[in-house]
Structure formats: structure tokens, C-alpha cells
Amino acid sequence: PGRDDGRRPLQAALGVDVMSLNVNAVMDGLGVRLATISGLRVFDFPPDSASPPFAVVAMPEEITYDSTMKRGGDEMVVAVHVVVGKVSDRSARDQLGVYMAGTGATSVKTVIEADRTLGGAADSCRVTSAVFSTFDMAAQPFLAGTLNVHVIG
């Protein structure tokens, strides 16, 4: 009890090595951060269906292993999709603008970076970019934005 074995708390509980990223823990950690935004439904996995506004944490497309010496660290970029409403709805545009802002209580960037370790799942993370697009669900295009989160562990 009270002994530090050199692992971050979440990794110690999961039995994961200090310098490796656990994809599931990172996605869960992002979901926890996003859930702090009032009124935004959050899925830390791709859902079958959802009603806007919602955010989806996607699987990383790639993991870069051994980004530093030997097993010194891994890196990944995780996309967070924020979906707000019909493309033709001005209020959807206004709502997406608030979520995609660089600062503020409902800024996705701000809430993710408020805990850069994602509850101990990573050494650091940073929202590095965002793009605006549409997100198709049930043959209906919705206005969306995607934020790319660079995660280091």
C-alpha cells in the first residue's frame, strides 16, 4: 500500500507497461473528458445510431510504436467526431462553432486538454487540428467536425 511501482494509476490497474498505450483506455479517457460538456451525448466507441448533438471517439487509424529509444513510448492520433444537426440548419452551425472553439467550457479542445493524461491512460495528449465535414447516419447527412488528438504514452 502506498508504494509507487512507476506505473500510472490506470495502467497499474490494467496491468499495462508504463511506456505502452492501451487503445481502449485512451478511448475511454477521451470519453470521460467529453462527458464534461453539458448536453453532449458521448460515445467512446462507434455507435449503431445516435441523436445529435453527440461526440464519437473513433479507433486510431495507426499506432506508432517505439517513438523513442527501445520501448520508450508509443504515439497515436485519435479522431473525435462531433455531430450537431442537419447541414441546412443554422443553429447546427452555431452549435458546432462553440464545440470547435479553441477555448471555453464547451470547447472540445479545452475539455480534452484539461487532463492531458486522460485519467492516466497517456503521458500526454493535445488536440492538434480540426476539420469540418458531414457525418452520414441513417442516410441523413449531419453537420460535423472532427478533432485530431495526438496521444503520447
Side-chain angles (χ1 to χ4, degrees), residues 67-112:
S67 60
T68 59
M69 299 172 14
K70 296 186 182 180
R71 281 297 299 133
D74 300 335
E75 297 183 29
M76 67 175 86
V77 175
V78 180
V80 174
H81 306 287
V82 179
V83 181
V84 292
K86 291 182 181 179
V87 174
S88 60
D89 189 348
R90 183 183 177 110
S91 66
R93 181 210 65 179
D94 295 346
Q95 188 175 34
L96 186 59
V98 173
Y99 290 136
M100 302 294 279
T103 60
T106 57
S107 160
V108 172
K109 177 178 173 49
T110 297
V111 301
I112 288 173

Side-chain angles (χ1 to χ4, degrees), residues 23-131:
V23 174
N24 297 336
V26 167
M27 291 175 71
D28 291 347
L30 285 167
V32 167
R33 296 304 314 144
L34 292 166
T36 65
I37 300 175
S38 180
L40 183 66
R41 290 171 200 78
V42 178
F43 299 92
D44 52 11
F45 57 91
D48 288 331
S49 64
S51 298
F54 64 89
V56 177
V57 179
M59 295 290 294
E61 288 189 25
E62 179 179 38
I63 300 173
T64 303
Y65 296 114
D66 309 328
S67 60
T68 59
M69 299 172 14
K70 296 186 182 180
R71 281 297 299 133
D74 300 335
E75 297 183 29
M76 67 175 86
V77 175
V78 180
V80 174
H81 306 287
V82 179
V83 181
V84 292
K86 291 182 181 179
V87 174
S88 60
D89 189 348
R90 183 183 177 110
S91 66
R93 181 210 65 179
D94 295 346
Q95 188 175 34
L96 186 59
V98 173
Y99 290 136
M100 302 294 279
T103 60
T106 57
S107 160
V108 172
K109 177 178 173 49
T110 297
V111 301
I112 288 173
E113 293 178 352
D115 177 6
R116 290 183 185 259
T117 69
L118 303 174
D123 288 332
S124 182
C125 76
R126 187 170 72 91
V127 177
T128 56
S129 64
V131 295

